[in-house]
Amino acid sequence: MLKLLKVTIILNLLTTFSYAQTVTVVDGETGLPVEMTAVTTPGTNPILFTNSNGQVDLSSVAENDSITFSCLGYQSFTSVKSVLAKSNNQVALMYSRLGLNEVVISANRWNQQSTSIPSHIISISKKDMYLMNPQTAADLLGISGKVFIQKSQQGGGSPMIRGFATNRLLYSVDGVRMNTAIFRGGNIQNVINLDPFAIQNTEVVFGPGSVIYGSDAIGGVMSFQTLTPEFSLSDQPLITGSATTRYSSANSEKTEHFDIRIGWKKWAIATSISSWDFDHLRQGSNGPDDYLKSRYVQHQDSVDVTISQDDILLQIPSAYSQINLMQKIRFSPNKNWDFQYGFHFSETSSYGRYDRHNRVRNGMPRYAEWDYGPQKWMMHHLRIVHSAKSILYDELSINLAQQLFEESRVDRSLNRTERNTQTEEVSAFSINVDLKKSTGKRNQVFYGAEYVTNDVTSTGMLTDISTNISTNGPSRYPQSVWNSIGIYVNDEFTLNKKVVLNSGLRFNQYTLDADFDTTFYPFPFTNANINNSAITGSLGAVIRPAKDLVISVNLGTAFRSPNVDDLGKVFDSEPGAVTVPNPDLKAEYATNADLGIAKVFGNRIKVDVTGYYTILQNALVRRNYTLNGLDSILYQGEMSRVQAIQNAAKATVYGVQIGLEIKLGYGFWLSSDLNYQKGEEELDDESTSASRHAAPTFGLTKIGYRNHGLELIIYSAYQAEKSFDNLPQEEQSKDEIYAKDGNGKNYSPAWQTYNFKAVYQFTKHFSVSGGIENITDQRYRPYSSGISAAGRNVVFSVKANF
């Protein structure tokens, strides 16, 4: 009997001790759990995160170690485990927008405090997403107020960062490179492959990121972390999830989303599914008439018919739909190993490229059809993480990924029976090995290797729609294989409590093999090969003279290797011009300098200013060219000037990013972001032109209120004018995109919208959000866009959590 009593007492003590290792983090106002709170301890211990219930296991933390809890949008809190036990192992974080110490993972692929990183980095949380209700992942980036979004059609969104865009920016999903060998210099829409509902956190690294990410990371890196399966901290399964439905009036959006996560001690799964249906987008009623299109083309009874629109504010064709699926499985046999498999799938319907439908020839629509076919993306991803104190590493991460991309273009001239279809498939495989090693209390080394291969298959088909007979047609690209292999090392040294130094170096070898078909175009070559290397580096420092002041200095280089789109594309970039292949290309290089200062004044005002200057050398740009000695050829029935991508320019971009946060009191706050950038690019005659992707000055200003379960914001988004003289030379002739100034010349007018958003948490499990966008119903187009933004738009969303 005595033995049984002793055993019972011991078991109770062990159980009590076990539960004492679990701490719950809640919102200080609402009492709701705070997910993704970073839990850090002194030294080089791994950073822990709270789960969906706000819980974190602190069994690995020493009893007297200080523990800091920090989360985006909250004031950090520091304590020790013994003190936490006296407060029922619960931490209440108070709302604050003035923090200088956040945790990010995109800088070097590992969890890391932002105070150790000299690059300017921003985060966009799930909470921000639910309040602002972005329709796509491109819109998600736009709500930051620091990333400019261009759209050629509703089913699109091409980010512009610091004067760079498209294949000069790097997209990363769960640490896997998303850029492919057919990412073009023109605007792209691949970011809409991602599901905003399945994204747990979004980070944007401004400036070069080639040391870690390799080719393309010139202007910045956009890193998306998707939902992660969570383990249970008790003997009971952890089951969490959400269901969301949303409606928007401007395009009759009908969106549904569902996700569920189930976790046991060693196994966990996560499932997400989302679907969107967008009708034709309605633009505003107050603005330039140049954006109005009163007709569209339909093929009826074997004839192309021009139809007058009843509602000229509708932008036809712009409707499309999309579905996204995600499935993850996670297994951790012990505290040292973590295996995670993820499957992602995305597919859109076909959708019209609206700007091409606005082109006119002889007073009539240029095209009867110009559509993107279904855009598909699929990824299998296996991530293996091992934590162990060894000679080579403290933590090891291996990422294996196989991706498949498919996109197509379909066009047919008005009253012509020949339909041209070009289809591209890219099979991409990548392996990343990243290691982290502490070489002392004050020094950490991050190093690794990467291998990427892209196999590009491009086909063309010509179809006579009167007979439905199809024959082979010209492909957009040559059949190609692009390879990249790189090794890197990055060192972080804490000089003292106020200064952290960073340095990095990368060597990259890249190859490209392309086989050309001369059946349709008389190229003077049948194959092309590129085999070259690049070396990039970085050097930076983070200085904290005081707790409320951070100074960041960063010098870095980046490169972009020529890809299949640069070397081998045949397409019409603008009326009267055709781009042809050029096999003689080399990498372009960027050199960048950053200086950032962030200061908090009296726990009420935060000012964040970053200035930068970038020089791009050997820039790959489109210039006049000859093909077999001819400066013009017949392309799609039109005599067109021959052009090609060439290493023919030097470009410079400089600018400043300014952020302001003010705590007004009584639950009110104000924030404002302003972005000024100016870019110049050399022309053939040694004169200069504005850079195409240097957006006009733009920004976002918000006034918000937060009290318990209610959050309200009134905000204004705005863009400065870009006059005809300040337009890039290649943009000045695009009548279908721009408005006309008083002299009848193309320009991008200034615009400003006023908007209102709100979210109310009725219970722990039920909330409603919504608002009105573009309250004054402005008709406007963000710079370089081929479609107008939404007019007045009423948004309503309901969300249930469990």
Side-chain angles (χ1 to χ4, degrees):
M1 186 66 182
L2 185 59
K3 290 183 178 180
L4 179 61
L5 181 61
K6 288 181 178 179
V7 170
T8 303
I9 293 173
I10 292 172
L11 287 175
N12 285 333
L13 288 173
L14 288 174
T15 301
T16 302
F17 179 76
S18 174
Y19 279 105
Q21 309 306 298
T22 300
V23 171
T24 302
V25 181
V26 299
D27 185 295
E29 290 184 3
T30 65
L32 295 175
V34 180
E35 183 182 5
M36 288 296 292
T37 299
V39 183
T40 57
T41 55
T44 58
N45 296 320
I47 297 175
L48 306 174
F49 289 91
T50 58
N51 61 19
S52 300
N53 290 337
Q55 297 176 325
V56 61
D57 182 5
L58 298 183
S59 58
S60 62
V61 180
E63 199 69 22
N64 294 319
D65 275 354
S66 64
I67 307 170
T68 299
F69 299 83
S70 56
C71 185
L72 181 65
Y74 290 91
Q75 184 176 340
S76 296
F77 173 80
T78 301
S79 184
V80 296
K81 188 189 289 189
S82 56
V83 174
L84 292 175
K86 296 177 182 179
S87 59
N88 296 321
N89 288 307
Q90 181 169 293
V91 173
L93 295 183
M94 302 308 297
Y95 179 76
S96 173
R97 302 174 61 90
L98 306 180
L100 293 175
N101 185 18
E102 299 167 3
V103 171
V104 297
I105 65 174
S106 53
N108 58 21
R109 299 184 187 272
W110 295 99
N111 297 326
Q112 192 177 11
Q113 291 181 318
S114 60
T115 49
S116 301
I117 304 167
S119 299
H120 182 42
I121 302 178
I122 63 166
S123 296
I124 306 171
S125 68
K126 285 180 65 178
K127 185 177 293 186
D128 295 329
M129 193 211 79
Y130 186 54
L131 173 62
M132 298 298 287
N133 274 303
Q135 292 186 341
T136 68
D139 299 330
L140 174 65
L141 291 165
I143 69 174
S144 68
K146 298 178 175 68
V147 179
F148 191 88
I149 303 298
Q150 179 277 350
K151 292 187 179 183
S152 296
Q153 63 282 327
Q154 185 175 201
S158 188
M160 296 183 182
I161 298 175
R162 288 190 173 185
F164 297 101
T166 62
N167 54 18
R168 289 174 181 151
L169 301 177
L170 196 287
Y171 300 77
S172 172
V173 183
D174 291 337
V176 176
R177 175 191 181 92
M178 197 179 183
N179 292 44
T180 73
I182 62 171
F183 265 36
R184 54 191 180 273
N187 299 303
I188 60 176
Q189 61 269 1
N190 299 74
V191 71
I192 70 168
N193 288 333
L194 303 177
D195 177 4
F197 292 102
I199 294 173
Q200 193 158 284
N201 188 55
T202 302
E203 295 172 0
V204 180
V205 183
F206 295 91
S210 282
V211 169
I212 303 298
Y213 293 95
S215 178
D216 302 2
I218 291 178
V221 176
M222 291 159 285
S223 176
F224 302 90
Q225 302 298 317
T226 60
L227 295 174
T228 301
E230 299 175 334
F231 297 117
S232 174
L233 300 180
S234 68
D235 293 330
Q236 298 298 317
L238 174 65
I239 303 175
T240 59
S242 68
T244 305
T245 183
R246 184 174 64 210
Y247 173 81
S248 300
S249 63
N251 54 5
S252 297
E253 176 200 9
K254 292 177 282 294
T255 292
E256 289 82 31
H257 166 77
F258 175 79
D259 67 78
I260 184 171
R261 287 186 277 184
I262 305 175
W264 297 270
K265 286 282 190 176
K266 295 185 177 182
W267 288 89
I269 61 174
T271 302
S272 173
I273 179 170
S274 302
S275 69
W276 298 263
D277 184 78
F278 303 109
D279 204 343
H280 303 299
L281 181 63
R282 180 192 178 278
Q283 59 186 323
S285 58
N286 303 305
D289 290 342
D290 305 288
Y291 297 155
L292 299 175
K293 183 170 72 77
S294 61
R295 61 191 179 185
Y296 62 95
V297 178
Q298 277 191 352
H299 193 67
Q300 301 177 356
D301 299 324
S302 302
V303 177
D304 288 333
V305 179
T306 302
I307 299 175
S308 296
Q309 293 185 201
D310 294 330
D311 183 355
I312 61 173
L313 298 182
L314 283 180
Q315 299 176 95
I316 303 175
S318 60
Y320 82 103
S321 60
Q322 182 171 336
I323 186 169
N324 274 61
L325 303 171
M326 186 196 77
Q327 180 64 57
K328 288 187 176 183
I329 302 173
R330 187 179 179 188
F331 172 61
S332 180
N334 53 53
K335 65 178 183 179
N336 300 114
W337 288 96
D338 192 339
F339 299 85
Q340 188 174 156
Y341 165 76
F343 171 77
H344 300 260
F345 177 79
S346 173
E347 181 175 2
T348 70
S349 64
S350 298
Y351 49 91
R353 178 164 172 177
Y354 187 75
D355 60 342
R356 294 298 174 95
H357 283 272
N358 281 347
R359 286 190 176 177
V360 176
R361 184 166 63 182
N362 299 324
M364 295 294 291
R366 169 72 174 83
Y367 296 103
E369 303 175 41
W370 212 116
D371 303 321
Y372 285 112
Q375 180 172 290
K376 301 177 184 179
W377 171 62
M378 181 175 68
M379 179 170 76
H380 298 276
H381 175 211
L382 176 63
R383 184 169 191 256
I384 304 170
V385 177
H386 183 231
S387 302
K389 300 291 184 179
S390 66
I391 297 177
L392 293 178
Y393 62 86
D394 298 331
E395 293 182 77
L396 162 71
S397 173
I398 300 175
N399 283 279
L400 297 164
Q402 191 272 331
Q403 299 180 79
L404 180 65
F405 301 82
E406 181 180 324
E407 58 187 54
S408 58
R409 296 161 177 79
V410 181
D411 66 84
R412 183 174 61 84
S413 297
L414 185 69
N415 296 323
R416 301 285 180 86
T417 61
E418 186 178 77
R419 176 188 292 136
N420 178 38
T421 303
Q422 294 178 318
T423 303
E424 284 75 53
E425 291 185 358
V426 179
S427 178
F429 173 78
S430 62
I431 178 170
N432 291 84
V433 179
D434 300 292
L435 305 99
K436 175 182 176 182
K437 177 63 182 175
S438 297
T439 57
K441 291 185 177 180
R442 297 192 298 168
N443 196 77
Q444 290 189 94
V445 179
F446 308 89
Y447 66 103
E450 177 187 61
Y451 172 72
V452 182
T453 183
N454 282 196
D455 192 339
V456 179
T457 301
S458 182
T459 59
M461 182 174 64
L462 300 175
T463 303
D464 188 326
I465 63 172
S466 64
T467 62
N468 207 31
I469 295 175
S470 298
T471 58
N472 291 334
S475 63
R476 180 177 173 89
Y477 298 115
Q479 311 309 302
S480 311
V481 177
W482 180 89
N483 294 296
S484 171
I485 185 167
I487 55 174
Y488 76 91
V489 60
N490 196 70
D491 186 79
E492 177 191 306
F493 178 67
T494 302
L495 186 63
N496 52 50
K497 291 183 178 181
K498 295 184 178 181
V499 180
V500 178
L501 304 177
N502 277 264
S503 60
L505 190 67
R506 181 187 182 101
F507 173 80
N508 217 104
Q509 189 77 21
Y510 57 88
T511 64
L512 174 56
D513 299 305
D515 295 321
F516 292 87
D517 184 354
T518 58
T519 303
F520 300 96
Y521 302 111
F523 301 133
F525 43 81
T526 57
N527 56 70
N529 307 97
I530 295 177
N531 187 347
N532 218 322
S533 60
I535 297 177
T536 55
S538 64
L539 181 64
V542 180
I543 306 168
R544 299 199 67 154
K547 289 183 178 180
D548 56 6
L549 175 64
V550 177
I551 302 172
S552 303
V553 181
N554 195 34
L555 300 174
T557 59
F559 79 100
R560 186 175 77 83
S561 63
N563 64 18
V564 177
D565 186 86
D566 299 312
L567 179 143
K569 176 173 57 179
V570 178
F571 84 116
D572 58 329
S573 57
E574 58 189 71
V578 59
T579 299
V580 301
N582 176 12
D584 302 316
L585 297 178
K586 298 179 181 180
E588 55 185 13
Y589 283 88
T591 303
N592 177 81
D594 272 70
L595 174 62
I597 301 175
K599 168 72 175 174
V600 175
F601 298 89
N603 201 31
R604 282 198 170 272
I605 299 174
K606 175 185 173 183
V607 178
D608 189 347
V609 181
T610 302
Y612 59 90
Y613 191 94
T614 306
I615 301 174
L616 184 66
Q617 295 175 311
N618 286 332
L620 292 163
V621 294
R622 191 170 65 245
R623 292 286 184 264
N624 290 338
Y625 196 62
T626 59
L627 183 63
N628 292 328
L630 300 175
D631 62 7
S632 298
I633 62 173
L634 194 66
Y635 180 75
Q636 292 189 347
E638 184 176 351
M639 187 59 67
S640 301
R641 182 69 171 88
V642 174
Q643 297 181 330
I645 302 295
Q646 303 172 53
N647 293 103
K650 173 184 175 182
T652 58
V653 180
Y654 58 89
V656 61
Q657 296 172 292
I658 303 173
L660 173 67
E661 302 275 356
I662 302 178
K663 182 181 178 181
L664 300 174
Y666 302 101
F668 287 93
W669 54 267
L670 180 146
S671 74
S672 188
D673 288 288
L674 186 68
N675 306 269
Y676 169 81
Q677 48 277 312
K678 184 175 178 61
E680 291 186 341
E681 181 181 292
E682 286 181 340
L683 299 178
D684 282 342
D685 60 2
E686 297 185 356
S687 62
T688 60
S689 171
S691 296
R692 179 182 179 184
H693 294 128
T697 300
F698 70 96
L700 186 69
T701 298
K702 305 175 185 176
I703 297 178
Y705 172 77
R706 189 177 189 269
N707 185 20
H708 296 288
L710 176 65
E711 189 164 0
L712 309 171
I713 60 167
I714 298 173
Y715 65 98
S716 177
Y718 39 88
Q719 173 207 292
E721 176 185 306
K722 205 169 184 75
S723 67
F724 175 82
D725 291 335
N726 288 325
L727 282 179
Q729 186 183 66
E730 60 187 303
E731 295 287 293
Q732 291 178 344
S733 61
K734 295 182 178 179
D735 296 332
E736 70 272 17
I737 289 180
Y738 296 104
K740 301 291 184 182
D741 63 16
N743 297 317
K745 294 182 177 181
N746 292 328
Y747 83 117
S748 180
W751 54 263
Q752 184 172 19
T753 65
Y754 298 95
N755 316 267
F756 167 78
K757 293 288 176 65
V759 60
Y760 185 70
Q761 190 82 36
F762 285 92
T763 69
K764 179 181 178 180
H765 302 292
F766 180 74
S767 60
V768 171
S769 67
I772 305 175
E773 298 173 341
N774 194 0
I775 295 172
T776 57
D777 204 28
Q778 296 300 302
R779 184 187 310 131
Y780 70 100
R781 286 185 183 176
Y783 162 72
S784 191
S785 292
I787 189 170
S788 299
R792 185 182 297 115
N793 185 32
V794 178
V795 183
F796 181 75
S797 177
V798 177
K799 182 180 181 181
N801 295 307
F802 58 90

